[in-house]
Amino acid sequence: MSAPVLELRGLSKAFRVRHGFMGRETREIRAVNDVSLTIGRGEVYGLAGESGSGKSTIARMIMGLTEPTAGTILIDGAPVAHAGQRPVQMVFQNPGASLNPRRTVAQSITVPLAVQGVGAADSAARVAELLEMVELPRHFAGRYPHELSGGQKQRVAIARALATTPKLLILDEPTSALDVSVQAKVMDLLADLGRDLGLTYLFISHDLSLMRNFADRVGILYLGRIVETGTADQVFAAPSHAYSRLLIASVPVMSEDEARARPTIPLIDGEIPTAEALVAHEAKQLSQGSKA
Amino acid sequence: MTDAGPITTLSARQQNWYRFSHNPTALIGTAIVILAVLAAILAPLITPYPEHVGAVVNFRARHTPPSAEFWFGTDNVGRDIFSRCIFGLRVSLTLAAVVLIIAVPVGTTLGLVAGYFGGWTETIIMRITDVALAIPPLVMALAVAAVLTPSLLNAMLAISALWWTWHARLVYSLTRQIRALEYVEAAETLGASKLHILFREILPNCLGPIVVKTSLDAGFVILLGAALSFLGLGIQPPTPDLGTMVADGAQFLPEHWWESLMPGTVILILALGFNLLGDGLRDLFDVSEQ
Amino acid sequence: MTAPLLSIRGLKVRFTAYGQVNEVLHGVDLDVPARGNVALVGESGSGKSVTMKAIMGLLRTPPAEITGGQILFRGQDLLTMRERERLKLRGTAMSMVFQDPMSSLNPVFTIRDQLATILKYADRRLGRDRSRAQRLARVHEVLAQVRMREPEQVAAAFPIMLSGGMRQRVLIAMALLSEPELLIADEPGTALDVTTQAQILKLLKDLVAERGLALLMITHNLGVVRETADRVYVMNKGTIVESATTGAIFAHPREEYTRDLMAAVPRLTGGHRYGTQGGRA
């Protein structure tokens, strides 16, 4: 069997935060703590977690925008090169922010082509080809981002990410800034591209319903650690970790069927518990159970 | 949701034109600046007494008050002040243009480099900027004139040597904000060169504020140039210069008031024109960058 | 049958931008009964935010202009009411929970100071007389009502010391200060994590049940609507497309727009394959 497209081994990132008098003392915050995962060719791996879970930091480390404090990142079995030379691309959450407002669609898409030394004529042909791939009309090449809708901007961002024919595409909340009707179309496009081009996706999202339908395998991230991993079917049908259960139970759903399928969470003092409270609560019950 | 539908079907260029053309301040400023530039270029053709630019003496007509013959009156040797004011625009505009052509690119580049790279590069560039900011341009020009000779060229060099600092500060703070934006990160992950990121990704997004500041600066440089000439440190006679004319006329105040007031008013209107244009442009860019 | 607490009739709003006039609300009808729990749902550009701003009197005129209709609150038309009378209602009888818990609180004042100040001005508008001690007691009371475990400690805190969920609770407490009859919530919990959002939605639902106030929630999230509201108005392109009880609309959406919108939402139970050549082709 060939090497996985992406392999993370014991990846960690600690930030030092200065505090105390004149900032002389430092404290370590572990944003990502010993994360290991593999993603096979053509697979969609979903990474779910809330703010502060470390999912963005993992994406940034894979992209080379942040240096890990420990661990290794292997792409196709080989250690990674400098940022900008990695066969990985990213589609950012907010297409309004990830496209330069002063550059046309064609100018944005051709940035990676110029790096690869593609000439002007070939470059124009490639832009047309990429726009067709993301189902946008060719004449959009001359438009500026503010002349496009949110969904169209995200298609341009996808075209730009595909320009370098990456091996792995990181999708960082690619549809969270879009309306749900637009979201469905962008997800359809990503699924089509994934199949046609044999792309591998690392899909980062807080929308668990979307992840359930898009990812093959899922990892649940809590306080910098992957607390649960498995196929999407396994994790959603029978989440084993307290945090995964709380996360899935909190999703607002559309039907009775879905509501019944959600795990039940014990109310603490009549309230839905916080993640910390629930994890502590379950730990306490476990220790009481083992004593009895 | 951030994806609000478009409120208009106009293109970006049409929107900008709509705002600009509905902004009286900007229109008045633009009109003043265009008229001043045209008048300066066409001065020999449009002035009634182009020969009065030189060392002409016409004692019979000295100290003539404003009239149909001499619109702005005449000076102490009988030269037409209107003609000399129009030619004087050339000096003021040249001064502003040369200073800004030197200071803006230098300041912008230093600000971009300091803001993007940070670290030692930033420390060195910004500390030099801070020191230069502490020196008043007028004092610098006085010092340069004292060491070298008083001339227009030296005045321009002295002002340019300090003026870039304002642009460096402005572009530095803009770059610090922009470099953290996703589109810059996106370009980095796509392997774009530093040169590309500085001049193709970041610089175009600083252009609005730079243009506004440059326009406002033109007014200030003109005022500073007039002040230097007033002190006798600018261009040397007999070339007509607005600041020098104010100084020369000041001896004959208050009876021959027009000799100072007319060139003074021209300086005022010119500086005002650049300021109005700058304010108008700022309104334009403020909206489009929301 | 009694008249609804809030009743919008034929509301029309237009905007003027770049010399072009666009009508964005084409006659909106919407009712919130006393003690009702109503959701107004729509995608971006549907006009739901404009409707909300029109109710609260937050539309900037120009560029906006209300060209027709009525907004009746307790039978009085807010649109023809004197500005003075309207100000007495705003923030008191009808109050608003803002969307962004980060930017809606002033970072340099404690929660106690901010809430007490808001209460002081509300008291002044209504001609109520209350001592500072009484006001502080009321601040602690509303903080307890939003299920803060230690209201005194929260009151003494600066916004930065609180989590996103706690700040959202503070904003709800702020809206409760003057015992409103109608609470308008703009995308409640949207800026928060899903576990925190669930807590906030439960809190809003509990408040409607316990305190007898009416809730009008503006949201784009159909799941949130189903979890929280009793009655739903679906809005698209400046018109109400469909309105029904929550149970009815999720079981049998009548309009095609509503059906399409619901079909676009992914299900937690899975079963949908994305891609045009996949499951749906």
Side-chain angles (χ1 to χ4, degrees), chain B residues 114-173:
Chain B
Y116 182 71
F117 291 102
W120 280 108
T121 323
E122 173 192 329
T123 310
I124 292 168
I125 294 176
M126 294 323 289
R127 285 307 80 76
I128 293 174
T129 307
D130 288 343
V131 170
L133 272 173
I135 308 169
L138 195 60
V139 173
M140 179 76 164
L142 287 170
V144 169
V147 175
L148 305 171
T149 51
S151 73
L152 182 65
L153 182 70
N154 286 340
M156 289 192 294
L157 289 178
I159 300 173
S160 309
L162 294 175
W163 211 271
W164 61 268
T165 54
W166 298 101
H167 283 265
R169 275 253 144 226
L170 171 75
V171 175
Y172 165 75
S173 64

Coordinates of all heavy atoms in Angstrom, one line a residue, chain B residues 114-173:
Chain B
A114 N 9.6 47.8 6.5 CA 9.6 47.7 7.9 C 8.3 47.0 8.5 O 8.4 46.1 9.3 CB 9.6 49.1 8.5
G115 N 7.2 47.3 7.9 CA 5.9 46.7 8.3 C 5.8 45.2 8.0 O 5.3 44.5 8.8
Y116 N 6.3 44.8 6.9 CA 6.2 43.4 6.5 C 7.2 42.5 7.2 O 6.9 41.5 7.7 CB 6.3 43.2 5.0 CG 6.1 41.8 4.6 CD1 4.8 41.2 4.6 CD2 7.1 41.0 4.1 CE1 4.6 39.9 4.3 CE2 6.9 39.7 3.7 CZ 5.7 39.1 3.8 OH 5.5 37.8 3.5
F117 N 8.5 42.9 7.2 CA 9.5 42.0 7.7 C 9.6 42.1 9.3 O 9.9 41.1 9.9 CB 10.9 42.3 7.1 CG 10.9 42.0 5.7 CD1 10.8 42.9 4.7 CD2 11.0 40.6 5.3 CE1 10.8 42.6 3.3 CE2 11.1 40.3 3.9 CZ 10.9 41.3 3.0
G118 N 9.3 43.2 9.9 CA 9.4 43.3 11.3 C 10.8 43.1 11.8 O 11.8 43.3 11.1
G119 N 10.9 42.7 13.1 CA 12.2 42.4 13.7 C 13.2 43.6 13.6 O 12.9 44.8 13.8
W120 N 14.5 43.3 13.3 CA 15.6 44.3 13.3 C 15.3 45.3 12.2 O 15.6 46.5 12.3 CB 16.9 43.6 13.1 CG 17.4 43.1 14.4 CD1 17.5 41.8 14.8 CD2 17.9 43.8 15.5 NE1 18.0 41.7 16.1 CE2 18.2 42.9 16.5 CE3 18.0 45.2 15.7 CZ2 18.7 43.4 17.8 CZ3 18.5 45.6 17.0 CH2 18.9 44.7 18.0
T121 N 14.9 44.8 11.0 CA 14.6 45.7 9.9 C 13.7 46.8 10.3 O 13.9 48.0 10.1 CB 13.9 44.9 8.8 OG1 14.5 43.6 8.7 CG2 14.0 45.6 7.4
E122 N 12.6 46.4 11.0 CA 11.6 47.3 11.5 C 12.2 48.3 12.5 O 12.0 49.5 12.4 CB 10.4 46.5 12.1 CG 9.4 47.4 12.8 CD 8.4 46.6 13.7 OE1 8.2 45.4 13.3 OE2 8.0 47.2 14.7
T123 N 12.9 47.7 13.5 CA 13.5 48.6 14.5 C 14.4 49.7 13.9 O 14.3 50.8 14.2 CB 14.3 47.7 15.5 OG1 13.5 46.6 15.9 CG2 14.7 48.5 16.7
I124 N 15.3 49.2 13.0 CA 16.3 50.2 12.4 C 15.5 51.3 11.6 O 15.7 52.5 11.9 CB 17.3 49.5 11.6 CG1 18.2 48.6 12.5 CG2 18.1 50.5 10.8 CD1 19.1 47.6 11.7
I125 N 14.6 50.8 10.7 CA 14.0 51.8 9.9 C 13.1 52.8 10.7 O 13.1 54.0 10.5 CB 13.1 51.1 8.8 CG1 14.0 50.4 7.8 CG2 12.2 52.1 8.0 CD1 13.3 49.5 6.8
M126 N 12.3 52.2 11.6 CA 11.4 53.0 12.3 C 12.1 54.0 13.3 O 11.6 55.1 13.6 CB 10.3 52.2 13.0 CG 9.4 51.5 12.0 SD 9.0 52.3 10.5 CE 7.9 53.6 11.1
R127 N 13.2 53.6 13.9 CA 13.9 54.5 14.8 C 14.5 55.6 14.0 O 14.4 56.8 14.5 CB 15.0 53.7 15.6 CG 14.5 52.8 16.7 CD 13.6 53.4 17.7 NE 12.2 53.5 17.3 CZ 11.4 52.5 17.3 NH1 11.7 51.3 17.6 NH2 10.1 52.7 16.9
I128 N 15.1 55.4 12.9 CA 15.6 56.5 12.0 C 14.4 57.4 11.7 O 14.5 58.6 11.7 CB 16.2 55.9 10.8 CG1 17.5 55.1 11.1 CG2 16.6 57.1 9.8 CD1 18.1 54.4 10.0
T129 N 13.3 56.8 11.3 CA 12.1 57.6 11.0 C 11.7 58.5 12.2 O 11.4 59.7 12.0 CB 10.9 56.7 10.7 OG1 11.3 55.8 9.7 CG2 9.7 57.5 10.2
D130 N 11.7 57.9 13.4 CA 11.3 58.7 14.6 C 12.2 59.9 14.8 O 11.8 61.0 15.1 CB 11.3 57.8 15.8 CG 10.1 56.8 15.8 OD1 9.2 57.1 15.0 OD2 10.2 55.9 16.5
V131 N 13.5 59.7 14.6 CA 14.5 60.7 14.8 C 14.2 61.8 13.8 O 14.2 63.0 14.1 CB 15.9 60.2 14.7 CG1 16.9 61.3 14.6 CG2 16.3 59.3 15.8
A132 N 14.1 61.4 12.5 CA 13.8 62.4 11.4 C 12.5 63.2 11.6 O 12.5 64.4 11.3 CB 13.8 61.7 10.1
L133 N 11.6 62.5 12.2 CA 10.3 63.1 12.5 C 10.4 64.3 13.5 O 9.6 65.2 13.5 CB 9.3 62.1 13.0 CG 8.4 61.3 12.0 CD1 7.6 60.3 12.8 CD2 7.5 62.2 11.3
A134 N 11.4 64.2 14.3 CA 11.6 65.1 15.4 C 12.1 66.5 14.9 O 12.1 67.5 15.6 CB 12.4 64.6 16.5
I135 N 12.7 66.5 13.7 CA 13.3 67.7 13.2 C 12.3 68.4 12.3 O 11.8 67.9 11.4 CB 14.5 67.4 12.2 CG1 15.5 66.4 13.0 CG2 15.2 68.6 11.8 CD1 16.6 65.9 12.1
P136 N 12.0 69.7 12.7 CA 11.0 70.5 11.9 C 11.6 70.8 10.5 O 12.8 71.2 10.4 CB 10.8 71.8 12.6 CG 11.4 71.5 14.0 CD 12.4 70.5 13.9
P137 N 10.9 70.5 9.4 CA 11.4 70.8 8.0 C 12.0 72.2 7.8 O 13.0 72.4 7.1 CB 10.2 70.5 7.1 CG 9.3 69.7 7.9 CD 9.5 70.0 9.4
L138 N 11.3 73.2 8.4 CA 11.7 74.5 8.3 C 13.1 74.7 8.8 O 14.0 75.4 8.2 CB 10.7 75.5 8.9 CG 10.8 76.9 8.5 CD1 10.6 77.1 7.1 CD2 9.8 77.8 9.3
V139 N 13.4 74.2 10.0 CA 14.7 74.3 10.6 C 15.7 73.6 9.8 O 16.8 74.1 9.6 CB 14.6 73.6 12.1 CG1 16.0 73.6 12.7 CG2 13.7 74.4 12.9
M140 N 15.4 72.4 9.2 CA 16.3 71.6 8.4 C 16.7 72.5 7.2 O 17.8 72.6 6.8 CB 15.6 70.4 7.9 CG 16.4 69.5 7.0 SD 17.7 68.6 7.9 CE 18.2 67.4 6.7
A141 N 15.6 73.1 6.6 CA 15.9 73.9 5.4 C 16.8 75.1 5.7 O 17.7 75.5 4.9 CB 14.6 74.4 4.8
L142 N 16.6 75.7 6.9 CA 17.4 76.8 7.3 C 18.8 76.4 7.4 O 19.8 77.1 7.0 CB 16.9 77.4 8.6 CG 15.6 78.2 8.6 CD1 15.1 78.5 10.0 CD2 15.9 79.5 7.9
A143 N 19.0 75.2 8.0 CA 20.4 74.7 8.2 C 21.1 74.4 6.9 O 22.2 74.7 6.7 CB 20.3 73.4 9.1
V144 N 20.3 73.7 6.0 CA 20.9 73.4 4.7 C 21.3 74.7 4.0 O 22.4 74.8 3.4 CB 19.9 72.5 3.9 CG1 20.4 72.4 2.4 CG2 19.8 71.2 4.5
A145 N 20.4 75.7 4.0 CA 20.7 76.9 3.3 C 21.9 77.6 3.9 O 22.7 78.3 3.2 CB 19.5 77.9 3.4
A146 N 22.1 77.5 5.2 CA 23.2 78.1 5.9 C 24.5 77.4 5.5 O 25.5 78.1 5.3 CB 23.0 78.0 7.4
V147 N 24.5 76.1 5.4 CA 25.7 75.4 5.1 C 26.0 75.5 3.6 O 27.1 75.8 3.2 CB 25.5 73.9 5.5 CG1 26.8 73.1 5.0 CG2 25.3 73.7 7.0
L148 N 25.0 75.2 2.8 CA 25.2 75.3 1.3 C 24.8 76.8 0.9 O 25.0 77.7 1.7 CB 24.4 74.3 0.6 CG 24.6 72.8 1.0 CD1 23.6 71.9 0.4 CD2 26.0 72.4 0.7
T149 N 24.2 76.9 -0.2 CA 23.7 78.3 -0.6 C 22.2 78.3 -0.7 O 21.6 77.2 -0.9 CB 24.2 78.7 -2.0 OG1 23.9 77.6 -2.9 CG2 25.7 78.9 -1.9
P150 N 21.5 79.4 -0.4 CA 20.1 79.4 -0.5 C 19.7 79.3 -2.0 O 20.1 80.1 -2.8 CB 19.7 80.8 0.0 CG 20.9 81.4 0.6 CD 22.1 80.7 0.0
S151 N 19.0 78.2 -2.3 CA 18.5 78.0 -3.7 C 17.3 77.1 -3.6 O 17.0 76.4 -2.6 CB 19.6 77.4 -4.6 OG 19.7 76.0 -4.2
L152 N 16.5 77.1 -4.7 CA 15.3 76.3 -4.8 C 15.7 74.8 -4.6 O 15.1 74.0 -3.9 CB 14.6 76.5 -6.1 CG 13.3 75.7 -6.3 CD1 12.3 76.1 -5.3 CD2 12.8 75.8 -7.7
L153 N 16.8 74.4 -5.3 CA 17.2 73.0 -5.3 C 17.5 72.5 -3.9 O 17.1 71.5 -3.4 CB 18.4 72.8 -6.2 CG 18.9 71.4 -6.3 CD1 17.9 70.5 -7.1 CD2 20.3 71.3 -6.9
N154 N 18.3 73.4 -3.2 CA 18.7 73.0 -1.8 C 17.4 72.9 -0.9 O 17.3 72.0 0.0 CB 19.7 74.0 -1.2 CG 21.0 73.8 -1.8 OD1 21.3 72.7 -2.4 ND2 21.9 74.8 -1.8
A155 N 16.5 73.8 -1.1 CA 15.3 73.8 -0.3 C 14.5 72.5 -0.5 O 14.0 71.9 0.4 CB 14.4 75.0 -0.6
M156 N 14.4 72.1 -1.8 CA 13.7 70.9 -2.2 C 14.4 69.7 -1.5 O 13.7 68.8 -1.0 CB 13.7 70.7 -3.7 CG 12.7 71.7 -4.4 SD 12.4 71.3 -6.1 CE 13.9 71.5 -6.9
L157 N 15.7 69.7 -1.6 CA 16.5 68.5 -1.0 C 16.2 68.5 0.5 O 16.0 67.4 1.1 CB 18.0 68.7 -1.3 CG 18.3 68.4 -2.8 CD1 19.8 68.6 -3.0 CD2 17.9 67.0 -3.2
A158 N 16.3 69.6 1.1 CA 16.1 69.7 2.6 C 14.7 69.2 3.0 O 14.6 68.4 3.9 CB 16.3 71.1 3.1
I159 N 13.7 69.6 2.3 CA 12.4 69.2 2.6 C 12.2 67.7 2.3 O 11.6 67.0 3.2 CB 11.3 70.0 1.9 CG1 11.5 71.5 2.2 CG2 9.9 69.6 2.2 CD1 10.6 72.4 1.4
S160 N 12.7 67.3 1.2 CA 12.5 65.8 0.8 C 13.2 64.9 1.8 O 12.7 63.9 2.2 CB 13.2 65.6 -0.5 OG 12.7 66.5 -1.5
A161 N 14.3 65.4 2.4 CA 15.1 64.6 3.3 C 14.3 64.3 4.5 O 14.6 63.3 5.3 CB 16.4 65.3 3.6
L162 N 13.3 65.1 4.8 CA 12.5 64.8 6.0 C 11.1 64.3 5.7 O 10.4 63.6 6.5 CB 12.4 66.1 6.9 CG 13.7 66.5 7.5 CD1 13.5 67.9 8.2 CD2 14.2 65.5 8.5
W163 N 10.6 64.7 4.5 CA 9.2 64.5 4.3 C 8.8 63.0 4.1 O 7.7 62.6 4.4 CB 8.7 65.2 3.0 CG 7.3 65.7 3.1 CD1 6.2 64.9 2.7 CD2 6.8 66.9 3.7 NE1 5.1 65.6 3.0 CE2 5.4 66.8 3.6 CE3 7.4 68.0 4.3 CZ2 4.6 67.8 4.1 CZ3 6.6 69.0 4.7 CH2 5.2 68.9 4.6
W164 N 9.7 62.2 3.7 CA 9.4 60.7 3.5 C 9.0 60.1 4.8 O 8.3 59.1 4.8 CB 10.7 60.0 3.0 CG 11.9 60.0 3.9 CD1 12.9 60.9 3.9 CD2 12.2 59.1 5.0 NE1 13.8 60.7 4.9 CE2 13.4 59.6 5.5 CE3 11.6 58.0 5.5 CZ2 14.0 58.9 6.6 CZ3 12.1 57.4 6.6 CH2 13.3 57.8 7.1
T165 N 9.4 60.6 6.0 CA 9.1 60.0 7.2 C 7.6 59.8 7.5 O 7.1 58.8 8.0 CB 9.7 60.8 8.4 OG1 9.2 62.2 8.3 CG2 11.2 60.8 8.4
W166 N 6.8 60.9 7.1 CA 5.4 60.8 7.3 C 4.8 59.6 6.5 O 3.9 58.9 7.0 CB 4.7 62.1 6.9 CG 5.2 63.2 7.7 CD1 6.1 64.2 7.4 CD2 4.8 63.5 9.1 NE1 6.3 65.0 8.4 CE2 5.5 64.6 9.5 CE3 3.9 62.9 10.0 CZ2 5.4 65.2 10.7 CZ3 3.7 63.4 11.2 CH2 4.5 64.6 11.6
H167 N 5.3 59.5 5.3 CA 4.8 58.4 4.4 C 5.2 57.0 5.0 O 4.5 56.0 4.9 CB 5.2 58.6 3.0 CG 4.3 59.6 2.3 ND1 3.2 59.3 1.6 CD2 4.4 60.9 2.3 CE1 2.7 60.4 1.2 NE2 3.4 61.4 1.6
A168 N 6.5 57.0 5.5 CA 6.9 55.7 6.1 C 6.1 55.3 7.2 O 5.7 54.1 7.3 CB 8.4 55.9 6.5
R169 N 5.7 56.2 8.1 CA 4.9 55.9 9.3 C 3.5 55.4 8.8 O 3.0 54.4 9.3 CB 4.6 57.2 10.1 CG 5.7 57.5 11.1 CD 5.2 57.2 12.5 NE 6.3 56.7 13.3 CZ 6.2 55.6 14.0 NH1 5.0 55.0 14.2 NH2 7.2 55.2 14.7
L170 N 2.9 56.1 7.8 CA 1.6 55.8 7.3 C 1.6 54.4 6.8 O 0.8 53.5 7.1 CB 1.1 56.8 6.3 CG -0.2 56.4 5.5 CD1 -1.4 56.7 6.4 CD2 -0.3 57.3 4.3
V171 N 2.5 54.1 5.8 CA 2.5 52.9 5.1 C 2.9 51.7 6.1 O 2.4 50.6 6.0 CB 3.5 52.9 3.9 CG1 3.6 51.6 3.2 CG2 3.0 53.9 2.9
Y172 N 3.8 52.0 7.0 CA 4.2 51.0 8.0 C 3.0 50.5 8.8 O 2.7 49.3 8.9 CB 5.2 51.7 9.0 CG 5.5 50.9 10.2 CD1 6.2 49.7 10.2 CD2 4.9 51.4 11.5 CE1 6.4 49.0 11.4 CE2 5.2 50.7 12.6 CZ 5.9 49.5 12.6 OH 6.1 48.8 13.8
S173 N 2.1 51.5 9.3 CA 1.0 51.0 10.1 C 0.0 50.3 9.2 O -0.6 49.3 9.7 CB 0.4 52.2 10.9 OG -0.2 53.1 10.0

